[in-house]
Amino acid sequence: MNTPTLGEPRFISTLSHTISDDLRIPERIIIGADPGEQFELAGPRAKLFFDAKQTRAGIVTCGGLCPGLNNVIRSLFLELHYDYGVAEVLGFRGGYSGLDPASGVEPATITPAFVDGIHQKGGTILGSSRGPVDIGRAVDNLIARGVNILFTVGGDGTQRGAHELYQEARKRGHALAVVGVPKTIDNDVGFVSRTFGFFSALEEAARVLDCAHTEARSVPGGIGLVKLMGRHSGFITAGATVASQDVNFALIPEVPFDLDAFLAALKQRMLTKSHAVIAVAEGAGQDLLAANPHARDASGNVRLKDIGLFLRERIEAFFKAEGIPVVMRYFDPSYQVRSRPANCEDALLCDLFARHAVHAAMAGKTGVVIGFLHEHFIHVPIELLATHTKRLDPASGWWRSVLAATGQPAQFA
């Protein structure tokens, strides 16, 4: 698929080891299978659209927190500043609302001192928020400030907003390169085999599961119930379950479960082992809760009902009715998981996502998100990203590993 560009590159890059626009990465690499989409390989180009010394870039971080946001901000700046010599980099504060002058919040001028040490801290130094922005006022502001490049760090909603910004700037005749860095702790972005922050989240989630196991096995009838992040995908729950190896039941959105069958299996576990650990993704079992599909949050996401509290109440009521004493230990570490700093693996991934985003923007690519497939970084048009969702396949090795690690019965798995 063709990558949107602002026009013909006009300036010679000083970077070495540049690559051609002709190089492509297929969506699928299985021999004999349809290769699917063909994506432009990301990386530095020999010619640039922007004259770095006349270029002003902006960075905005949106949505919920995720390990590695500060790493991305830092690496975006370092690549722009040291490798390309971009004149100025602005950090828009508080998510998309910071693009609107009516917010009254001035952007930060990012300097080496500003980013010093931020990669060692969780969260985002620029702040974040959910919700849209008035696209017209935002583009007016970007034009008034002479911003030529905007990096949007966020999930699906953020990148939809990025697409609107790019389209509006194009209508105005303003050459604005909008390049997205995909951010989701749930690892559910299409054309991205793993998102930054995911393995840091797994590490923290597995640690909480270990604590739940310790609590459960330390008392007669102990049950550790842990609710993990994962609105529509069970990657965190599945990955942390396999990493822990002490979970007995894993429940994810992609695999509906029968509540009665689950409670019967849990009863059998308690009668034989006298303790159990349950990991449940926040989006699991929403059909049991009669969630309203039309209720949305500020980012446009469906408002989920709390499966963790629901299961805790149902489990306690079930065992009380059965006359079996249990001790519930309930854990909801969502904010703890997402606010930690990035681990080494994610720190490396953040750096590479950021540097490839800068290469794309300086070459005049726009309306694109940096993807990651088959260990290669690629350019994914935002409009294509919006048409694809990534979910855990119940027929995949991921889920088979979960079933092997937990030993949970197949009748509700």
Side-chain angles (χ1 to χ4, degrees):
M1 189 169 184
N2 292 329
T3 301
T5 63
L6 294 172
E8 191 68 28
R10 299 165 290 171
F11 302 96
I12 303 298
S13 174
T14 60
L15 273 63
S16 58
H17 307 297
T18 58
I19 65 172
S20 167
D21 278 352
D22 297 330
L23 296 178
R24 293 289 188 273
I25 297 294
E27 181 181 354
R28 292 178 287 273
I29 58 173
I30 299 173
I31 295 174
D34 176 6
E37 297 285 350
Q38 303 285 313
F39 295 101
E40 193 174 80
L41 186 65
R45 270 28 182 196
K47 287 189 176 181
L48 309 177
F49 183 82
F50 294 106
D51 177 1
K53 291 182 172 51
Q54 305 297 320
T55 298
R56 180 173 286 113
I59 303 170
V60 62
T61 55
C62 305
L65 297 185
C66 176
L69 284 168
N70 280 331
N71 302 65
V72 171
I73 294 168
R74 176 182 166 88
S75 291
L76 286 170
F77 171 75
L78 295 180
E79 186 69 24
L80 289 163
H81 182 75
Y82 288 112
D83 279 356
Y84 283 97
V86 163
E88 188 175 42
V89 182
L90 301 177
F92 291 94
R93 298 181 184 274
Y96 272 153
S97 65
L99 295 180
D100 189 341
S103 70
V105 180
E106 282 292 303
T109 299
I110 300 181
T111 63
F114 185 88
V115 299
D116 185 29
I118 65 171
H119 59 295
Q120 298 169 348
K121 301 172 183 175
T124 163
I125 195 171
L126 296 178
S128 185
S129 67
R130 296 188 184 276
V133 64
D134 184 288
I135 296 298
R137 289 203 301 265
V139 172
D140 283 341
N141 188 29
L142 293 169
I143 293 172
R145 294 182 182 277
V147 173
N148 315 104
I149 294 171
L150 181 66
F151 297 102
T152 57
V153 188
D156 290 347
T158 300
Q159 305 312 335
R160 286 193 296 270
H163 186 64
E164 293 178 24
L165 291 167
Y166 142 67
Q167 296 280 20
E168 182 65 21
R170 187 174 67 171
K171 279 194 241 176
R172 308 276 192 92
H174 177 60
L176 177 69
V178 181
V179 178
V181 179
K183 178 230 68 177
T184 169
I185 204 170
D186 294 344
N187 196 40
D188 60 355
V189 176
F191 312 115
V192 180
S193 56
R194 65 180 183 275
T195 52
F196 74 83
F198 175 62
F199 278 104
S200 301
L202 283 191
E203 196 172 272
E204 189 70 17
R207 193 180 71 81
V208 174
L209 288 172
D210 290 343
C211 293
H213 181 239
T214 298
E215 286 284 348
R217 68 185 304 195
S218 296
V219 294
I223 298 177
L225 173 61
V226 182
K227 186 182 78 170
L228 297 171
M229 300 183 80
R231 296 179 57 83
H232 305 293
S233 64
F235 289 108
I236 288 180
T237 297
T241 292
V242 175
S244 167
Q245 294 286 312
D246 285 322
V247 176
N248 307 112
F249 301 93
L251 308 173
I252 63 172
E254 296 90 337
V255 182
F257 66 95
D258 180 85
L259 181 61
D260 291 334
F262 164 69
L263 291 172
L266 179 59
K267 175 184 174 182
Q268 186 60 38
R269 164 76 192 186
M270 295 304 293
L271 291 175
T272 56
K273 295 290 188 179
S274 190
H275 75 278
V277 176
I278 306 158
V280 57
E282 60 181 321
Q286 291 298 303
D287 57 310
L288 304 173
L289 302 171
N292 180 3
H294 303 295
R296 305 272 170 168
D297 64 16
S299 296
N301 300 313
V302 174
R303 288 190 182 275
L304 301 180
K305 292 197 173 180
D306 198 323
I307 185 64
L309 294 179
F310 171 82
L311 281 181
R312 183 177 71 176
E313 292 171 1
R314 289 302 183 94
I315 290 169
E316 288 178 331
F318 172 79
F319 280 100
K320 182 177 181 181
E322 293 288 318
I324 302 173
V326 296
V327 179
M328 287 292 301
R329 299 288 189 246
Y330 179 59
F331 298 73
D332 182 354
S334 300
Y335 296 114
Q336 174 183 339
V337 167
R338 75 180 197 173
S339 61
R340 62 161 289 170
N343 64 13
C344 288
E345 182 168 10
D346 281 327
L348 291 171
L349 198 58
C350 289
D351 184 76
L352 291 169
F353 266 115
R355 294 185 188 277
H356 282 92
V358 173
H359 296 322
M362 290 300 297
K365 313 293 181 183
T366 187
V368 299
V369 170
I370 303 301
F372 184 57
L373 279 180
H374 320 310
E375 298 300 312
H376 290 282
F377 290 88
I378 57 175
H379 296 149
V380 181
I382 294 176
E383 57 187 338
L384 179 62
L385 190 74
T387 67
H388 284 66
T389 56
K390 179 181 168 188
R391 301 289 181 263
L392 193 152
D393 181 0
S396 68
W398 270 90
W399 191 239
R400 288 195 300 273
S401 294
V402 170
L403 295 179
T406 61
Q408 64 191 52
Q411 67 260 30
F412 70 86

